[in-house]
Amino acid sequence: MRYTDVDVSRIRDILLRHTADQTNLIPIMQGVQALYNYLPRPALEMIADYLHVSISKVYGVATFYENFSLNAKGKHIIRCCDGTACHVRKGATILGAIRKELGLTAAQSTTDDMLFTVEIVSCLGACGLGPVVVVDDEVHPTMTVDKARELLESIRGKEARAG
């Protein structure tokens, strides 16, 4: 089988860190997701082949767990909390400002340049710090619209300098 749109050698490295046992399905998928920020179909096919399981079993696991994604995500993942504490502290306003700044909508969560993906989460477990936004696993407490804009500007600046 020929796999396209993925770095076969990097996925093979992830696979070879685990024995070809079905019990390693989730850790392998986590490794691939860490590499791509989502699970590309060719990678899922490689996983199925390596573990000698059906592609439908792999897809079943990928769609069952909320932390796995089958859709491409941006380089920077922005998670906006919509839990009760964040919601009553104007978390939706901050989400709206972030979406507006990035040109996104509820239907389009990833920027065209694949730099940002915005996700809404039910709770980040930091209720006393709300409203909370997490960018690339870094918590940003007591977020405001102005702080959100500054955060996005900072990330864009770093990307421009790196780029």
Side-chain angles (χ1 to χ4, degrees), residues 82-115:
D82 194 37
T84 303
C86 290
H87 185 79
V88 299
R89 293 182 183 133
K90 309 286 190 223
T93 303
I94 294 161
L95 170 64
I98 290 171
R99 282 180 172 160
K100 182 177 180 184
E101 183 74 22
L102 296 175
L104 298 174
T105 64
Q108 180 188 358
S109 61
T110 300
T111 56
D112 291 336
D113 62 4
M114 298 300 291
L115 191 56

Side-chain angles (χ1 to χ4, degrees), residues 40-55:
R41 180 174 174 91
L44 295 179
E45 292 169 356
M46 288 180 70
I47 293 168
D49 289 346
Y50 181 73
L51 297 178
H52 306 291
V53 297
S54 68
I55 189 70

Side-chain angles (χ1 to χ4, degrees), residues 10-24:
R10 292 184 75 187
I11 294 173
R12 189 176 296 122
D13 289 344
I14 293 168
L15 295 172
L16 294 176
R17 284 186 223 135
H18 305 276
T19 59
D21 185 299
Q22 291 182 34
T23 60
N24 289 318

Side-chain angles (χ1 to χ4, degrees), residues 75 115 155-163:
K75 181 176 179 181
L115 191 56
I155 294 168
R156 285 180 173 143
K158 287 176 188 173
E159 287 296 326
R161 288 188 295 279

Side-chain angles (χ1 to χ4, degrees), residues 37 73-79 117 119 134-137:
N37 278 341
K73 292 186 179 188
K75 181 176 179 181
H76 300 283
I77 310 297
I78 301 170
R79 292 182 176 92
T117 294
E119 299 176 341
V134 174
V135 180
D136 301 331
D137 298 323

Side-chain angles (χ1 to χ4, degrees), residues 53-71:
V53 297
S54 68
I55 189 70
S56 63
K57 178 177 178 77
V58 176
Y59 266 97
V61 172
T63 58
F64 179 79
Y65 292 102
E66 191 173 308
N67 65 325
F68 290 128
S69 175
L70 298 175
N71 298 315

